[in-house]
Amino acid sequence: MISTTSSTAEMVTQDKLQKNDGIIEDKNSGKLGCCGWLLVFISIIFVIVTFPLTIFMCVKIVKEYERAVIFRLGRITDRKAKGPGLFLILPCTDNFVKVDLRTVSFDIPPQEILTKDSVTVSVDGVVYFRVYCPISAVANVTNAHSSTRLLAQTTLRNVLGTKNLAELLSDREGISLSMQEALDEATHPWGIKVERVEIKDVKLPQQLQRAMAAEAEASREARAKIIAAEGEMKASRALKEASLVMADSPSALQLRYLQTLNTIAAEKNSTIVFPLPIDIIQHFMHWKA
């Protein structure tokens, strides 16, 4: 118990030291030092001396959807991006990087994935993201767009590897949401905000498609036979009840016979078959005997 408490205290202390080191680095990141300020002063004098010519080198413009991250002697100035509009830089000591803040979309190439139930499928998708922190997108990652594309491919494999085929085909919205959360959490230090992830297409092997089609067809045929059997059972019950009613009332059978003749005559048939009662035939047979 004592060792566990001491290890926990050490971890908390290390976290505090790391946070304090990060704060100290942030505070010292904007300091140029004596040599740096000397170079900046020389650059300012150079701009003043050659003012009519260097004005075109100092004034820069960024558009409404862009931001400029300025580096002065390799350090980010003011810890914030410039823009939109006009801003000034020193030609000898400053350089800047433009960052586009608009939403970017890209297609995830088809990935061959082995699902949880050992079925190989090919899945592709689309990702929408934007840069919300230009400084992090420039300073914390070499190429934010390329890194996000590669991370989307690996995230797609990792997420779908934990799903079976039925979940993959039926729960696309849940899979897209889990992918978006995973990508957003991973790209947060890069200044990237993942807005939306969508699964475009799931391609199954041909043999599996034929097997699933045969299974669905057999299931539909089984349901059709069950429905037909239920209909026959209900019809037989109705006929039984009708026969009991007609047995109690002989005139009902005669009315049914006339109704049947009316139905046949309405169809414009050239031949009408009149049923002959069995009692009359038996009477003639006894008469001959």
Side-chain angles (χ1 to χ4, degrees), residues 233-253:
M233 183 176 61
K234 292 179 180 179
S236 63
R237 290 177 180 174
L239 289 174
K240 179 182 178 181
E241 294 176 358
S243 64
L244 294 176
V245 173
M246 290 181 180
D248 295 338
S249 178
S251 60
L253 182 61

Side-chain angles (χ1 to χ4, degrees), residues 8-20:
T8 305
E10 290 178 358
M11 292 174 63
V12 173
T13 304
Q14 291 178 359
D15 293 339
K16 290 182 178 179
L17 291 175
Q18 291 177 357
K19 291 180 180 179
N20 292 334

Side-chain angles (χ1 to χ4, degrees), residues 9 40 108 144 234 238 249 264-265 281:
V40 170
I108 302 176
K234 292 179 180 179
S249 178
I264 295 174
I281 298 176

Side-chain angles (χ1 to χ4, degrees), residues 4-5 26 52 61 71 77 99 108 111 146 168 171 178 183 188 211 269 279 289:
T4 304
T5 306
D26 290 339
I61 301 175
F71 291 89
T77 59
V99 180
I108 302 176
Q111 304 292 314
S146 177
L168 178 59
D171 191 20
S178 60
L183 277 175
H188 179 73
N269 292 327
D279 296 339

Side-chain angles (χ1 to χ4, degrees), residues 5-260:
T5 306
S6 60
S7 62
T8 305
E10 290 178 358
M11 292 174 63
V12 173
T13 304
Q14 291 178 359
D15 293 339
K16 290 182 178 179
L17 291 175
Q18 291 177 357
K19 291 180 180 179
N20 292 334
D21 293 340
I23 294 172
I24 293 172
E25 289 178 358
D26 290 339
K27 290 181 179 179
N28 295 332
S29 60
K31 295 182 179 180
L32 299 177
C34 296
C35 295
W37 284 112
L38 179 61
L39 292 175
V40 170
F41 182 71
I42 294 173
S43 180
I44 293 173
I45 293 176
F46 174 76
V47 171
I48 294 173
V49 171
T50 60
F51 174 71
L53 299 177
T54 54
I55 188 64
F56 300 101
M57 301 173 60
C58 296
V59 177
K60 301 296 179 181
I61 301 175
V62 291
K63 299 177 182 179
E64 181 68 28
Y65 54 84
E66 293 178 337
R67 297 295 183 270
V69 180
I70 301 176
F71 291 89
R72 178 164 294 167
L73 296 177
R75 297 177 180 271
I76 298 176
T77 59
D78 299 334
R79 303 304 300 175
K80 63 180 180 180
K82 300 293 184 181
L86 294 172
F87 63 94
L88 299 176
I89 63 171
L90 297 176
C92 300
T93 59
D94 295 355
N95 62 345
F96 68 97
V97 178
K98 287 184 180 180
V99 180
D100 196 333
L101 302 183
R102 293 177 294 181
T103 299
V104 180
S105 63
F106 65 89
D107 293 328
I108 302 176
Q111 304 292 314
E112 294 289 337
I113 299 170
L114 185 65
T115 60
K116 189 176 180 180
D117 49 355
S118 301
V119 177
T120 303
V121 295
S122 178
V123 184
D124 58 353
V126 60
V127 178
Y128 299 87
F129 71 95
R130 62 180 175 84
V131 177
Y132 75 92
C133 182
I135 292 179
S136 299
V138 172
N140 293 348
V141 63
T142 303
N143 191 332
H145 290 194
S146 177
S147 300
T148 305
R149 286 182 171 87
L150 296 176
L151 183 62
Q153 297 179 20
T154 57
T155 304
L156 180 64
R157 289 177 175 271
N158 294 336
V159 172
L160 296 185
T162 61
K163 306 291 184 180
N164 54 37
L165 182 60
E167 294 175 347
L168 178 59
L169 296 176
S170 61
D171 191 20
R172 291 193 180 187
E173 184 176 356
I175 294 173
S176 300
L177 184 59
S178 60
M179 281 189 59
Q180 179 182 349
E181 293 176 353
L183 277 175
D184 196 16
E185 182 180 359
T187 57
H188 179 73
W190 303 343
I192 299 294
K193 173 64 178 177
V194 179
E195 296 180 341
R196 192 176 183 86
V197 178
E198 292 291 342
I199 302 297
K200 291 176 60 178
D201 190 16
V202 179
K203 296 181 180 179
L204 303 176
Q206 293 294 330
Q207 295 180 353
L208 182 59
Q209 291 182 14
R210 288 194 292 267
M212 293 178 66
E215 181 182 359
E217 184 178 358
S219 178
R220 287 194 296 270
E221 289 180 355
R223 288 197 299 269
K225 290 180 179 179
I226 292 173
I227 294 172
E230 292 177 353
E232 291 290 338
M233 183 176 61
K234 292 179 180 179
S236 63
R237 290 177 180 174
L239 289 174
K240 179 182 178 181
E241 294 176 358
S243 64
L244 294 176
V245 173
M246 290 181 180
D248 295 338
S249 178
S251 60
L253 182 61
Q254 187 68 22
L255 292 174
R256 181 60 181 167
Y257 166 67
L258 295 175
Q259 185 180 5
T260 304

